[in-house]
Coordinates of all heavy atoms in Angstrom, one line a residue:
D6 N 222.1 47.5 -74.9 CA 222.5 48.1 -73.7 C 221.6 47.8 -72.5 O 222.1 47.5 -71.4 CB 222.6 49.6 -73.8 CG 223.7 50.1 -74.7 OD1 224.6 49.3 -75.1 OD2 223.7 51.3 -75.1
F7 N 220.3 47.7 -72.8 CA 219.4 47.5 -71.7 C 219.6 46.1 -71.0 O 219.5 46.0 -69.8 CB 217.9 47.5 -72.3 CG 216.9 47.2 -71.3 CD1 216.4 48.2 -70.4 CD2 216.3 45.9 -71.2 CE1 215.4 47.9 -69.5 CE2 215.3 45.7 -70.2 CZ 214.9 46.7 -69.4
W8 N 220.0 45.1 -71.8 CA 220.1 43.8 -71.2 C 221.6 43.5 -70.8 O 221.8 42.5 -70.1 CB 219.7 42.7 -72.3 CG 218.3 42.8 -72.7 CD1 217.7 43.3 -73.8 CD2 217.1 42.5 -71.9 NE1 216.4 43.3 -73.8 CE2 216.0 42.7 -72.6 CE3 217.0 41.9 -70.6 CZ2 214.7 42.5 -72.2 CZ3 215.7 41.6 -70.2 CH2 214.6 41.9 -70.9
T9 N 222.5 44.4 -71.2 CA 223.9 44.0 -70.9 C 224.7 45.0 -70.1 O 225.8 44.6 -69.7 CB 224.6 43.8 -72.3 OG1 224.6 45.0 -73.0 CG2 224.0 42.7 -73.1
K10 N 224.2 46.2 -69.9 CA 225.0 47.2 -69.2 C 224.4 47.6 -67.8 O 223.2 47.7 -67.7 CB 225.2 48.4 -70.1 CG 226.0 48.2 -71.3 CD 226.3 49.5 -72.1 CE 227.2 49.2 -73.3 NZ 227.4 50.5 -74.0
P11 N 225.3 47.8 -66.9 CA 224.8 48.3 -65.5 C 224.0 49.6 -65.7 O 224.4 50.5 -66.5 CB 226.1 48.5 -64.7 CG 227.1 47.6 -65.4 CD 226.7 47.6 -66.9
G12 N 223.1 49.8 -64.8 CA 222.3 51.0 -64.8 C 221.0 50.8 -65.6 O 220.1 51.7 -65.5
Y13 N 220.8 49.8 -66.3 CA 219.6 49.5 -67.1 C 218.9 48.3 -66.4 O 219.5 47.4 -65.9 CB 219.9 49.1 -68.5 CG 220.5 50.2 -69.3 CD1 221.9 50.5 -69.3 CD2 219.7 51.1 -70.1 CE1 222.4 51.5 -70.1 CE2 220.2 52.1 -70.8 CZ 221.6 52.3 -70.8 OH 222.1 53.4 -71.5
L14 N 217.6 48.4 -66.3 CA 216.8 47.4 -65.5 C 217.0 46.0 -66.0 O 217.0 45.1 -65.2 CB 215.3 47.8 -65.5 CG 214.4 47.2 -64.5 CD1 214.9 47.5 -63.1 CD2 213.0 47.6 -64.7
G15 N 217.1 45.8 -67.3 CA 217.2 44.5 -67.8 C 218.5 43.8 -67.4 O 218.5 42.6 -67.2
H16 N 219.6 44.6 -67.2 CA 220.8 44.0 -66.7 C 220.8 43.9 -65.2 O 221.2 42.8 -64.6 CB 222.0 44.9 -67.1 CG 223.3 44.6 -66.5 ND1 223.7 45.0 -65.2 CD2 224.3 43.8 -66.9 CE1 224.8 44.5 -64.9 NE2 225.3 43.8 -65.9
D17 N 220.3 44.9 -64.5 CA 220.4 44.9 -63.0 C 219.3 44.0 -62.4 O 219.6 43.4 -61.3 CB 220.1 46.4 -62.5 CG 221.2 47.3 -63.0 OD1 222.3 46.8 -63.5 OD2 221.0 48.5 -62.8
H18 N 218.2 43.8 -63.0 CA 217.1 43.0 -62.5 C 216.4 42.2 -63.6 O 215.2 42.3 -63.8 CB 216.1 43.8 -61.7 CG 216.6 44.4 -60.5 ND1 216.8 43.7 -59.3 CD2 217.0 45.7 -60.2 CE1 217.3 44.5 -58.4 NE2 217.4 45.7 -58.9
P19 N 217.1 41.3 -64.2 CA 216.5 40.4 -65.2 C 215.3 39.6 -64.7 O 214.5 39.2 -65.5 CB 217.7 39.6 -65.7 CG 218.6 39.5 -64.6 CD 218.5 40.9 -63.9
E20 N 215.3 39.3 -63.4 CA 214.2 38.5 -62.8 C 212.9 39.2 -63.0 O 211.8 38.6 -62.9 CB 214.5 38.2 -61.4 CG 214.4 39.4 -60.4 CD 215.7 40.3 -60.3 OE1 216.6 40.1 -61.2 OE2 215.8 41.1 -59.4
Y21 N 212.9 40.5 -63.1 CA 211.6 41.2 -63.3 C 210.9 40.9 -64.6 O 209.7 41.2 -64.8 CB 211.8 42.7 -63.2 CG 212.2 43.3 -61.9 CD1 212.8 44.6 -61.8 CD2 212.0 42.6 -60.7 CE1 213.1 45.1 -60.5 CE2 212.3 43.1 -59.5 CZ 212.9 44.3 -59.4 OH 213.3 44.8 -58.1
F22 N 211.7 40.3 -65.5 CA 211.2 40.0 -66.9 C 211.1 38.5 -67.2 O 210.5 38.2 -68.3 CB 212.1 40.7 -67.9 CG 212.2 42.2 -67.7 CD1 213.3 42.7 -67.0 CD2 211.3 43.1 -68.3 CE1 213.5 44.0 -66.8 CE2 211.5 44.4 -68.1 CZ 212.5 44.9 -67.3
T23 N 211.5 37.7 -66.3 CA 211.7 36.3 -66.7 C 210.4 35.6 -67.2 O 210.4 35.0 -68.2 CB 212.2 35.5 -65.4 OG1 213.4 36.1 -65.0 CG2 212.4 34.0 -65.8
K24 N 209.3 35.8 -66.5 CA 208.1 35.1 -66.9 C 207.4 35.7 -68.1 O 206.5 35.1 -68.7 CB 207.1 35.1 -65.7 CG 206.4 36.4 -65.3 CD 205.3 36.2 -64.3 CE 204.6 37.5 -63.9 NZ 203.5 37.2 -62.9
D25 N 207.8 36.9 -68.5 CA 207.1 37.6 -69.6 C 208.0 37.7 -70.8 O 207.4 38.0 -71.9 CB 206.7 39.0 -69.2 CG 205.6 39.0 -68.1 OD1 204.8 38.0 -68.1 OD2 205.6 39.9 -67.3
R26 N 209.2 37.4 -70.7 CA 210.1 37.5 -71.9 C 210.0 36.3 -72.8 O 210.0 35.2 -72.2 CB 211.6 37.8 -71.5 CG 212.5 38.1 -72.7 CD 213.9 38.3 -72.2 NE 214.8 38.8 -73.3 CZ 216.1 38.9 -73.2 NH1 216.7 38.7 -72.0 NH2 216.8 39.3 -74.2
I27 N 209.9 36.5 -74.1 CA 209.7 35.3 -75.0 C 210.7 35.5 -76.1 O 210.9 36.6 -76.7 CB 208.3 35.2 -75.5 CG1 208.2 34.0 -76.4 CG2 207.8 36.4 -76.2 CD1 206.8 33.7 -76.8
Q28 N 211.5 34.4 -76.4 CA 212.3 34.3 -77.6 C 212.2 32.9 -78.1 O 212.9 32.0 -77.9 CB 213.8 34.6 -77.1 CG 214.1 36.0 -76.6 CD 215.5 36.2 -76.1 OE1 215.9 35.5 -75.2 NE2 216.2 37.1 -76.7
F29 N 211.1 32.8 -78.9 CA 210.6 31.5 -79.3 C 210.9 31.3 -80.8 O 210.4 32.0 -81.6 CB 209.1 31.4 -79.0 CG 208.5 30.0 -79.4 CD1 208.7 28.9 -78.5 CD2 207.8 29.9 -80.5 CE1 208.1 27.7 -78.9 CE2 207.2 28.7 -80.9 CZ 207.4 27.6 -80.0
K30 N 211.6 30.2 -81.1 CA 212.0 29.9 -82.5 C 210.9 28.9 -83.0 O 210.5 27.9 -82.4 CB 213.3 29.2 -82.5 CG 214.5 30.2 -82.1 CD 215.8 29.5 -82.2 CE 216.9 30.4 -81.8 NZ 217.1 31.6 -82.6
T31 N 210.5 29.2 -84.3 CA 209.5 28.3 -85.0 C 209.6 28.6 -86.5 O 210.6 29.2 -86.9 CB 208.1 28.6 -84.4 OG1 207.2 27.7 -85.1 CG2 207.7 30.0 -84.7
T32 N 208.7 28.1 -87.2 CA 208.7 28.4 -88.7 C 207.3 28.9 -89.1 O 206.3 28.6 -88.4 CB 209.0 27.1 -89.5 OG1 208.1 26.1 -89.1 CG2 210.5 26.7 -89.2
V33 N 207.3 29.6 -90.2 CA 206.0 30.1 -90.7 C 205.2 29.1 -91.4 O 205.7 28.2 -92.2 CB 206.3 31.3 -91.7 CG1 205.1 31.8 -92.4 CG2 207.1 32.4 -91.0
G34 N 203.9 29.1 -91.1 CA 202.9 28.2 -91.7 C 202.3 28.9 -92.9 O 202.7 28.6 -94.1
A35 N 201.4 29.8 -92.7 CA 200.7 30.5 -93.8 C 200.3 31.9 -93.4 O 200.3 32.2 -92.2 CB 199.4 29.7 -94.1
P36 N 200.1 32.8 -94.4 CA 199.8 34.2 -94.1 C 198.3 34.3 -93.6 O 197.5 33.4 -93.9 CB 200.0 34.9 -95.4 CG 199.8 33.8 -96.5 CD 200.3 32.6 -95.9

């Protein structure tokens, strides 16, 4: 809801999070 619905900051102002949001795909090396 935060990212997709009006009234939540993530939907209304996604630019506030652009430089700090991370969704990075990779693979596990070792524990």
